Amino acid sequence: MKTYQIHLIRCGLTDANQSGRYIGRTDVPLSAEGIAQLRRLHDRGGYPTAEVYYTSPRLRCIQTMNLLYPGQDCYEVPGFDEIDFGDWEGKTADELKDDETFQQWLNHSADVTPPNGESVGVMYERVCKTFGMIADGMIRSGCQSAVVVTHGGVIMSMLAQRGMPRRA
């Protein structure tokens, strides 16, 4: 029986992360601190190698991939994009604290959609479909290992859907 491994790696820090902003589809670069952290991690080694590499199409994920796996070919996969926060993009929780829809969304309702954005339920569906296509492709091609560089929300969604595997 073949064993398949898909390694999930969260993109590095951005200035928006560090200031507590909701950034989904906004294409922001890694911060200087994020780049320095990833360079240190790369230099220490230990990141898994794989037969195939995938990344979200967002700049911060592509930069993370290039820092951890320099020169490695990878496929940009739009289905691994972060949730679309719509009108909440770029805002902090403090800036949104009086928004009733935001408060409902914080209560983990998969049915609440940020204005002009994407609901958690829709994102989960998109990510699940994308993950399934990647896994099916690996099985059909005989590929046994992959790396996916993506966003924290996408990784949490994959783990919630597929069960929480052991953390390496």
Side-chain angles (χ1 to χ4, degrees):
M1 179 184 219
K2 285 187 175 182
T3 302
Y4 298 90
Q5 293 183 328
I6 300 176
H7 304 278
L8 306 175
I9 298 174
R10 185 182 186 275
C11 63
L13 285 173
T14 67
D15 287 332
N17 297 134
Q18 293 172 281
S19 63
R21 300 197 175 281
Y22 286 96
I23 299 296
R25 300 292 173 90
T26 303
D27 215 7
V28 296
L30 295 173
S31 65
E33 183 179 341
I35 290 170
Q37 285 177 349
L38 288 167
R39 284 190 175 137
R40 284 192 301 273
L41 290 169
H42 175 266
D43 292 346
R44 280 199 321 232
Y47 268 83
T49 57
E51 295 172 73
V52 64
Y53 296 81
Y54 300 101
T55 183
S56 159
R58 295 292 146 212
L59 177 60
R60 57 197 181 268
C61 291
I62 294 167
Q63 288 177 313
T64 298
M65 176 68 75
N66 290 336
L67 286 164
L68 295 178
Y69 301 99
Q72 183 62 55
D73 291 334
C74 69
Y75 298 96
E76 292 181 26
V77 182
F80 286 142
D81 214 341
E82 182 62 281
I83 193 169
D84 184 347
F85 289 111
D87 294 350
W88 300 340
E89 278 284 323
K91 296 182 179 173
T92 65
D94 192 52
E95 292 170 334
L96 295 167
K97 70 180 180 228
D98 297 325
D99 182 322
E100 187 176 315
T101 306
F102 178 71
Q103 292 305 317
Q104 292 170 354
W105 182 79
L106 285 178
N107 290 323
H108 305 291
S109 173
D111 298 324
V112 177
T113 303
N116 298 307
E118 176 181 40
S119 73
V120 171
V122 168
M123 183 200 63
Y124 275 17
E125 201 173 294
R126 169 176 50 81
V127 169
C128 184
K129 179 180 177 184
T130 302
F131 185 85
M133 290 185 328
I134 295 296
D136 288 345
M138 288 176 67
I139 291 167
R140 274 192 240 108
S141 70
C143 173
Q144 291 182 260
S145 62
V147 164
V148 175
V149 175
T150 188
H151 311 273
V154 172
I155 291 172
M156 287 187 293
S157 134
M158 283 192 263
L159 293 176
Q161 293 167 23
R162 301 291 177 173
M164 186 65 109
R166 72 175 172 83
R167 185 175 182 173

